[in-house]
Amino acid sequence: MQHTEYGYVSPTENHCYRDLERWLADKKKRERRAEKHGAFNLGKEREHNEQ
């Protein structure tokens, strides 16, 4: 058992937590990048182009 911020966990659980934290960090980066480049404004751009 290893002591982590989640308490005492097995090495397998620790590996899973590490993978999950890495995935969440990458997800936040992707969302910030997409928001910065206007990926969430596609609907507005389509409406504007149709008029």
Side-chain angles (χ1 to χ4, degrees):
M1 299 299 270
Q2 298 174 350
H3 183 70
T4 65
E5 62 186 77
Y6 303 108
Y8 287 98
V9 296
S10 69
T12 304
E13 289 174 315
N14 191 33
H15 182 74
C16 291
Y17 283 132
R18 233 182 24 241
D19 287 348
L20 179 61
E21 289 172 349
R22 188 178 305 132
W23 181 84
L24 287 172
D26 289 344
K27 181 179 182 241
K28 288 179 184 178
K29 287 178 189 175
R30 285 191 307 268
E31 288 176 348
R32 272 189 305 233
R33 191 176 305 124
E35 191 172 312
K36 183 178 179 183
H37 294 288
F40 295 114
N41 295 329
L42 291 176
K44 292 179 184 176
E45 289 179 16
R46 287 182 188 153
E47 290 175 4
H48 186 282
N49 290 336
E50 289 174 0
Q51 294 175 350

